[in-house]
């Protein structure tokens, strides 16, 4: 068994002259890099509100990879801050600024400042499906049992 982690080059560009902190891994074995808010001014997010938080960066992923934007567990636990579309997907052909759609599920207003760690960025390989239309699907023990089908 090996504990090797593979790496791939990902080009990154600062899109304006604001905070522009570059994402980075906070620990040696972290799967996600922290993404930072890059805002012109502090923003107060009231309970139930959502907001597109800019990061001031754009990336160029190699073909065959995606980047997933995920919530930070500490923000979720302490403040009820999470992402509306989690995980958000950045495709290999997207070259625009990375934005993070944040929502406040907490009971108190939450202030986001430029330079705050607002989300995580995970780079992952992509497998594309080739759909094959058929008249019937093979049977399984679960069948078409959906949400709550086990009764628990």
């Amino acid at each position: 068994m090996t504990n090797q982690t593979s790496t791939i080059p990902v080009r990154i560009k600062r899109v304006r002259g604001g905070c522009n902190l570059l994402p980075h891994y906070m620990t040696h074995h972290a799967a996600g890099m922290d993404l930072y808010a890059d805002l012109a001014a502090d923003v107060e997010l009231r309970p139930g509100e959502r907001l597109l938080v800019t990061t001031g960066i754009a990336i160029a992923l190699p073909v065959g990879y995606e980047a997933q934007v995920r919530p930070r567990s500490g923000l979720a636990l302490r403040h009820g801050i999470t992402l509306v579309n989690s995980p958000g997907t950045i495709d290999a052909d997207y070259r625009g600024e990375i934005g993070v759609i944040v929502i406040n599920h907490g009971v108190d207003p939450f202030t986001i400042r430029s330079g705050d760690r607002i989300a995580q960025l995970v780079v992952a390989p992509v497998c594309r499906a080739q759909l094959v239309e058929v008249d019937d699907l093979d049977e399984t023990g679960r069948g078409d049992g959906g949400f709550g089908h086990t009764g628990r």
Side-chain angles (χ1 to χ4, degrees):
M1 186 165 103
T2 179
N3 287 331
Q4 297 295 323
T5 303
S6 62
T7 60
I8 60 158
V10 175
R11 296 183 325 240
I12 187 165
K13 174 185 172 185
R14 299 173 198 262
V15 296
R16 65 179 160 275
C19 173
N20 280 311
L21 292 171
L22 297 181
H24 65 277
Y25 298 100
M26 297 301 285
T27 66
H28 184 68
H29 295 291
M33 297 176 261
D34 282 346
L35 278 174
Y36 296 88
D38 184 49
L39 304 168
D42 295 354
V43 177
E44 183 178 88
L45 196 60
R46 294 186 306 267
E49 279 188 326
R50 64 184 176 272
L51 173 73
L52 178 65
V53 176
T54 54
T55 63
I57 60 163
I59 60 175
L61 294 162
V63 172
Y65 288 87
E66 66 160 329
Q68 300 171 6
V69 180
R70 299 181 182 180
R72 293 192 62 239
S73 58
L75 288 179
L77 176 64
R78 290 190 291 279
H79 305 286
I81 302 300
T82 191
L83 308 185
V84 176
N85 64 324
S86 178
T89 299
I90 301 169
D91 296 310
D93 58 353
Y94 178 68
R95 295 295 183 268
E97 180 176 8
I98 295 173
V100 180
I101 306 171
V102 177
I103 189 166
N104 183 352
H105 284 307
V107 295
D108 297 315
F110 181 77
T111 301
I112 302 171
R113 296 172 176 84
S114 203
D116 283 353
R117 294 182 296 159
I118 200 66
Q120 294 184 74
L121 187 71
V122 175
V123 176
V126 171
C127 177
R128 291 182 55 121
Q130 178 183 356
L131 299 179
V132 178
E133 189 172 2
V134 297
D135 291 329
D136 293 301
L137 300 175
D138 55 307
E139 295 292 326
T140 67
R142 178 176 178 175
D144 62 0
F147 297 105
H149 79 281
T150 62
R152 296 183 189 175

